[in-house]
Amino acid sequence: MLATTDRARAVWLRCLASAFRTALACTIVGCTTLYGPAAVQHRIAFPAFSYVTVILIVTDATLGDTLHGCWLALYATVQSVGPALLSLWLIGPARFTNGTVSLAVALGAFVVAFPEGTHLIAKRIALGQIVIVYVIAFINGVDTEAIMHPLNVAASTAIGVLACVIALLLPYPRLACWELKQNCGRLAENVSERLNLYVKAFCAEDNALALTSISQAKPLTIAGAKLLQSIKRYQESVKWERLPLKFLRNSNPGERLQELEIPLRGMEIALTSTSSFPIRMLEAETKQGLVQLEEHVSLTLKQMKNCFPRDSLTVPESNADKIIESLQTLQATIPTNHEDLPSFFFLFCIKLLQSKSLAKPITSIQQKESSTPCQKNGFFKSMWMSNWPSTSVNCKRLMPAFKCSLSLGLAVLFGLIYSKKDGYWSGLPVAISIAAAREATFKVANVKAQGTVLGTVYGVFGCFVFERYLPIRFISLLPWFVVTSFLRHSQMYGQAGGISAVIGAVLILGRKDFGPPSEFAIARIVETFIGLSCSIMVDLLLQPTRSCSLAKVQLSKCFGTLSACVGSMSLAANSKTNLLEKQRRLKLDVSELGKSIGEAEAEPNFWFLPFHSACYCKFLASLSKLVDLLHFSADAVGLLEQESQKLGASWKESVNKLHGDVELFKEMAGSLVKCFEDVTLLKSLAFLEKKIENKNISYDLELGKSSNWNIFKASSLKDDKIDSIISSYLQHSKEIVDKFHAADHEGERELKSQVVLCLSALGFCMSNLIKETREIEKGIIELLQWENPSKHINLYEISCKIHALNN
């Protein structure tokens, strides 16, 4: 209950702080544009875009984010206003028509959207400037000053940027380095609490106590993942604060804390795989050793939280070594029972956690040696070159750039056709909401429209209540900033809906002399609808593939990468590097699968088959677990390779039998994953049968069993076959360990303990890799049955058909 209250208080404080900074920045813009000197008001001719710039930059920003935003606004202005100056001077605003203005906006948008390295905020500001410059020039016609008009747009952007900087400095600066330190402290506490709960669960006397501790750790795991995301975000912002604030100390334990997340996930996997508690091989001395090791790691985390340098740790490493020695009696023999593997894997993970917590941070000399191009070539030069278009044409960027260009051009064209006076309001929402990647088109358009309507209605209501009191009318924005801050963090509206809502209110309550508020509100809602409709239409025309189809393609890609990962598992030298490289690729593919699933869940079904969200979420959970297991397999293989160097030729002679067991595992798991990849690539079972019938191909299940059994046999494997492979692996591992010499020798005992843990961990990973693959098999059958409700699904038969068709 206390944790829930603290979390609610933290959310309130974060939203209130964000609302205050946003309100302060908008107040600065409002006071400057409404009550500033006449000369200044004349130059800031577009206060609406000043407010838009504020919302784009200052939302949930730190000082580092704002300084970065200043640089992005400068870059965007050069990219958009520069070419516009030349165009207006050469062509002349009086010659513009609806078509030529739309074409000019479309070409400018293509130039902005095409470079891959340009930051999203820079693109949004530049596209907004392009819409304002060209459309306002067309609206004003001959009265437009070809040179001063674009410069006035730049000045309107500049006042918004300046307001953001001041708002982040007053009443005290919100520094990313401070936020980073706070989040690192919270993450250190989070890791310590989870470690304590996992050790308590491991040492529990019955199932109820163990399950209680595991359940208490689950919300901490979710909170830890959010803290990791915050740390990664603030690490980028800190770079911009170190430029003007040289006194900031370069102490960041965030990277070390991130490395501790993987062993903790392994401990959770080990506990959830344990069939019953208490652990039967656990003795009182071992429990005491685990508790002491947990206290040692917690003390290390506490000092890491306080950003103490590594050399100032008050607990010497020798203490940890003594604690590890007390656990070595437990690790003297390879487990012969499969039920003991999770316990050994837990000990492997806690030793891995202890070693990572004591790892020395990168020194300043190492940082200089491994400095990035940004540090070697100069910060601003590197940032400029990363934003500027490359000389080589990236074909992958052509379609997103063309889509942005066409959406914006059509929005401006139809907006001007509907109302020349308010035509730019159709293009501006499209410009400032461009996405970095594919998104759920209908959902995003829906929340943008709802946000715009909510904000506009609130603005009209504020004008009605405080019609004659402009200052009070402006103050009435403060509660709306608080509300929209919560909307931005909600699942219903998100960032797109929250930003649309705040802009909708600010554009009415923060300006004057724009006509009757109700008429402006109706005009803006209609123009926004026109712009969003154009954006949806272009998305459907240029990217007609449904999100659920893309999710299925991405799932098949994950299976292909997983097959490569399984194929790279080996006890040979240097196999860890190869496995880790493929594991990272699988991790990226699984991350993309998660994005595709989220987009497909938000997509309307229309007349299509509904997206089987539950099944795909099971796939995502299983694949995420497989990613972790492959990482632990690589760690175990790497440590075995290190220890094997101490054994010399005796290791090479003993490991041949283990190679055979690993190869048998790879054959089993690899054939099953390959089957998944082939099946998920199918359009439908009816399509497969029709192709076989058209090509007059005959297939024989018994013939397939004899000739291609190695490829497709996994679909009919039983659990006892899996157990026999793991049992053989454990027996051969025991034979290797039994060859060790005198156990009373300290170095020999330590080496034996390490080898036992690594071999046991690898055995646990192989066993669970197969089990998770079989869970995926059940999901594949469920998905095929969902798509083909009138057919009986036999995965092995489908595999044989695919094989016959491909041959």
Side-chain angles (χ1 to χ4, degrees), residues 46 88 91-105 130-146 149-150 412-424:
F46 308 102
L88 293 178
I91 301 174
R95 299 179 181 176
F96 280 141
T97 62
N98 288 352
T100 54
V101 167
S102 302
L103 180 62
V105 170
I130 287 172
V131 171
I132 296 293
V133 167
Y134 286 109
V135 179
I136 296 295
F138 170 63
I139 293 172
N140 294 336
V142 293
D143 297 329
T144 303
E145 300 179 25
H149 170 62
V412 168
L413 176 62
F414 289 114
L416 288 172
I417 291 174
Y418 174 77
S419 172
K420 180 179 179 180
K421 181 183 68 173
D422 300 309
Y424 58 95

Side-chain angles (χ1 to χ4, degrees), residues 224-274:
K226 292 180 180 179
L227 287 171
L228 276 175
Q229 292 177 353
S230 299
I231 287 172
K232 291 176 182 178
R233 180 205 160 204
Y234 290 129
Q235 282 174 338
E236 295 297 320
S237 303
V238 165
K239 299 175 185 178
W240 287 90
E241 292 178 359
R242 287 190 183 134
L243 291 172
L245 305 175
K246 297 292 185 181
F247 63 86
L248 290 177
R249 186 176 63 171
N250 188 8
S251 59
N252 175 22
E255 294 181 1
R256 292 174 63 194
L257 287 169
Q258 290 176 43
E259 292 180 357
L260 303 183
E261 185 67 23
I262 296 176
L264 283 171
R265 288 206 298 267
M267 294 165 70
E268 182 183 12
I269 292 172
L271 290 171
T272 53
S273 302
T274 303

Side-chain angles (χ1 to χ4, degrees), residues 250 255 361-372 375:
N250 188 8
E255 294 181 1
I362 299 175
T363 62
S364 57
I365 297 175
Q366 290 172 322
Q367 284 180 340
K368 290 180 181 179
E369 290 176 353
S370 62
S371 59
T372 61
Q375 294 167 325

Side-chain angles (χ1 to χ4, degrees), residues 85-324:
L85 273 169
L86 183 62
S87 301
L88 293 178
W89 181 66
L90 290 176
I91 301 174
R95 299 179 181 176
F96 280 141
T97 62
N98 288 352
T100 54
V101 167
S102 302
L103 180 62
V105 170
L107 292 175
F110 185 87
V111 172
V112 169
F114 181 73
E116 187 174 13
T118 306
H119 196 280
L120 187 60
I121 290 179
K123 288 184 178 182
R124 288 175 173 177
I125 293 175
L127 292 174
Q129 289 175 332
I130 287 172
V131 171
I132 296 293
V133 167
Y134 286 109
V135 179
I136 296 295
F138 170 63
I139 293 172
N140 294 336
V142 293
D143 297 329
T144 303
E145 300 179 25
I147 303 298
M148 294 309 301
H149 170 62
L151 294 180
N152 290 341
V153 174
S156 301
T157 306
I159 192 62
V161 171
L162 180 62
C164 292
V165 175
I166 296 174
L168 264 297
L169 288 172
L170 298 176
Y172 57 87
R174 185 184 182 225
L175 298 176
C177 61
W178 172 254
E179 296 289 341
L180 181 62
K181 183 179 179 180
Q182 292 288 99
N183 280 276
C184 285
R186 295 190 188 103
L187 183 58
E189 292 178 359
N190 180 281
V191 170
S192 182
E193 289 178 23
R194 287 159 64 191
L195 176 61
N196 177 268
L197 289 169
Y198 289 149
V199 171
K200 189 183 295 184
F202 189 73
C203 300
E205 295 297 333
D206 55 57
N207 287 338
L209 290 175
L211 290 175
T212 299
S213 297
I214 295 171
S215 300
Q216 289 174 348
K218 285 184 178 179
L220 292 174
T221 302
I222 298 172
K226 292 180 180 179
L227 287 171
L228 276 175
Q229 292 177 353
S230 299
I231 287 172
K232 291 176 182 178
R233 180 205 160 204
Y234 290 129
Q235 282 174 338
E236 295 297 320
S237 303
V238 165
K239 299 175 185 178
W240 287 90
E241 292 178 359
R242 287 190 183 134
L243 291 172
L245 305 175
K246 297 292 185 181
F247 63 86
L248 290 177
R249 186 176 63 171
N250 188 8
S251 59
N252 175 22
E255 294 181 1
R256 292 174 63 194
L257 287 169
Q258 290 176 43
E259 292 180 357
L260 303 183
E261 185 67 23
I262 296 176
L264 283 171
R265 288 206 298 267
M267 294 165 70
E268 182 183 12
I269 292 172
L271 290 171
T272 53
S273 302
T274 303
S275 57
S276 64
F277 296 89
I279 307 296
R280 61 181 181 176
M281 63 179 192
L282 210 56
E283 300 176 355
E285 183 181 355
T286 307
K287 288 184 180 180
Q288 184 64 26
L290 280 172
V291 172
Q292 291 176 356
L293 184 60
E294 181 263 323
E295 291 174 352
H296 182 273
V297 175
S298 296
L299 183 56
T300 306
L301 289 169
K302 184 177 180 181
Q303 295 178 349
M304 196 186 301
K305 168 189 172 182
N306 296 326
C307 297
F308 290 150
R310 170 65 184 85
D311 297 335
S312 69
L313 290 178
T314 58
V315 179
E317 290 183 28
S318 58
N319 285 10
D321 295 336
K322 292 178 181 177
I323 297 170
I324 293 297

